[in-house]
Amino acid sequence: MAESGATGRALSVYMGRTAAARIAAEGWEPSLFSLLLGASGGPKWFVLSQLDRVLFGDFLQRSEAPLSTLGSSIGAWRNACLGVADPAAAIARLERGYLYQHYATPPGPAEVSAASARILGETLGPRGAAEVVANPRIHSHIVTARGRGAAGARSGPVLATAMGAAALGNTVDRRLLRLAFQRVVFHSGAGHLPGLSLADFQTCYAPLTERNLGAALHASGAIPFVLRGERDIAGAPPGQYWDGGIIDYHFDLAQYRGDGLILYPHFRPGITPGWFDKFLPWRTRPLRRQTVDHLVLLCPSADFVADLPRGKIPDRGDFTRLAHEERVRYWEQCVARSQALAEEFTDLIGGGDPLAGVTLI
């Protein structure tokens, strides 16, 4: 095994020891995977969009084995595409809708929420909600954060105070976030994720229906003060629902105890558990300090990122730091470059050595 990214590759592949042993013995067999993870990150996803088309439209379609998905924010939106009849087409619609959104003046939460709802509607299409909810093989799990106490306010100084208090408490101990937020997971199929323990944050499970899928997805990406969030989602505890990334930005991989492998197309080889942890460098854990033996993580290499326009992957700050035409051109270039990740993954799974270039965690 070689160090991924060390030879000019676009795609870095990281594997836990169990994952590497099984893939070495059985090859890239999609039925080995029981869980697909999708992280928060907004437009960071554009460096994965072409890889997602291969994963969702081809690789994961080669198996009839059940597969659970777990995602927050854009990760939940991407994963929902896997549950529709034509996942690759849905991913293409999501890419188009998100990339070309435009606001004449700096938008408020109502305008951004309306645009998000439109993007989701176009992505899923007229039958998408029914297809995701009833999919017999893809069991969807969408993470949201239900505000508790003052964090349940819709906006204004009360919510701002609650967010500040939550950030301060999180600095002391991540577990203190449960004073302000409860994890609510909307799910299709039987419910709880096989092998994943989400016992913290007073986790509540609510069934997905055609009626509440759009609201659950919208809430999962609803950053306070940027979007309006969702109030009293049907079939779930009453209250205000916010971005699932507040609790599960990249997820705590140590919570996994399953037998199947985890497939994680991600933006980088590091895990930041919650959104507030972005501002606490000691909370971001490199993969070498993870203990998930069943993990297979795919991400752009450092060389790939350095060679992108502006030397970085897209992020939400691009909306304010770049003019519309400049942002669109930059994001289009990143999407086009991401084809290299898809091509290298295709070569890897079809090649003679299933561990070529893989980094062992």
Side-chain angles (χ1 to χ4, degrees):
M1 300 182 192
E3 177 68 26
S4 287
T7 57
R9 294 186 179 92
L11 178 68
S12 289
V13 182
Y14 296 85
M15 290 188 190
R17 294 181 181 277
T18 298
R22 297 187 66 180
I23 290 177
E26 302 179 52
W28 282 86
E29 170 54 54
S31 62
L32 292 173
F33 297 95
S34 62
L35 179 63
L36 173 71
L37 286 181
S40 299
K44 293 181 177 70
W45 162 68
F46 284 126
V47 294
L48 301 176
S49 66
Q50 301 302 306
L51 177 61
D52 276 357
R53 295 192 198 196
V54 172
L55 291 172
F56 293 8
D58 180 12
F59 177 67
L60 293 174
Q61 302 301 321
R62 302 178 189 180
S63 170
E64 297 182 358
L67 177 68
S68 292
T69 69
L70 177 68
S72 61
S73 194
I74 195 67
W77 293 24
R78 292 163 53 212
N79 286 351
C81 294
L82 184 59
V84 305
D86 188 342
I91 282 288
R93 292 193 295 269
L94 175 59
E95 175 192 296
R96 182 171 60 250
Y98 199 111
L99 196 156
Y100 294 109
Q101 60 184 302
H102 178 49
Y103 307 95
T105 58
E111 187 176 356
V112 178
S113 292
S116 296
R118 174 183 53 77
I119 293 168
L120 281 170
E122 292 173 353
T123 298
L124 294 175
R127 293 291 304 157
E131 291 165 354
V132 170
V133 170
N135 194 303
R137 187 173 79 88
I138 306 300
H139 302 149
S140 300
H141 297 77
I142 300 167
V143 178
T144 65
R146 187 174 77 101
R148 304 183 65 202
R154 298 185 187 212
S155 61
V158 173
L159 178 61
T161 300
M163 294 296 289
L168 182 60
N170 180 75
T171 302
V172 177
D173 191 325
R174 171 170 155 79
R175 292 172 295 182
L176 292 177
L177 271 180
R178 68 176 182 268
L179 300 177
F181 299 100
Q182 176 189 25
R183 181 194 288 118
V184 179
V185 181
F186 291 84
H187 65 89
S188 65
H192 293 205
L193 285 146
L196 195 67
S197 172
L198 295 177
D200 54 350
F201 294 98
Q202 298 179 313
T203 301
C204 171
Y205 289 85
L208 272 175
T209 66
E210 290 185 52
R211 179 184 175 192
N212 69 16
L213 174 65
L217 286 170
H218 185 258
S220 187
I223 303 169
F225 300 107
V226 178
L227 288 91
R228 298 178 63 179
E230 291 286 337
R231 194 82 177 179
D232 298 338
I233 299 178
Q240 182 72 15
Y241 285 78
W242 295 114
D243 194 319
I246 292 174
I247 298 174
D248 295 303
Y249 190 58
H250 296 163
F251 299 98
D252 181 356
L253 301 183
Q255 294 177 314
Y256 186 71
R257 297 291 186 274
D259 295 325
L261 304 187
I262 305 170
L263 182 60
Y264 197 175
H266 195 27
F267 319 118
R268 58 195 178 105
I271 303 298
T272 303
W275 189 83
F276 290 111
D277 297 325
K278 294 196 302 180
F279 312 103
L280 308 175
W282 60 90
R283 292 275 177 85
T284 296
R285 296 191 290 271
L287 284 176
R288 65 178 179 273
R289 293 174 54 193
Q290 299 293 321
T291 56
V292 181
D293 289 339
H294 294 73
L295 178 67
V296 176
L297 186 143
L298 313 174
C299 69
S301 70
D303 288 345
F304 173 85
V305 174
D307 193 47
L308 287 174
R310 301 180 177 272
K312 70 174 189 66
I313 63 177
D315 61 66
R316 198 164 51 86
D318 296 335
F319 279 110
T320 55
R321 72 171 64 98
L322 301 176
H324 172 70
E325 294 79 7
E326 187 178 8
R327 174 186 63 79
V328 166
R329 184 167 56 252
Y330 162 45
W331 286 7
E332 287 176 334
Q333 291 171 336
C334 291
V335 168
R337 297 279 189 91
S338 75
Q339 181 63 31
L341 278 71
E343 292 173 356
E344 289 187 14
F345 179 74
T346 300
D347 290 343
L348 175 61
I349 64 176
D353 179 2
L355 300 184
V358 165
T359 298
L360 188 66
I361 304 171

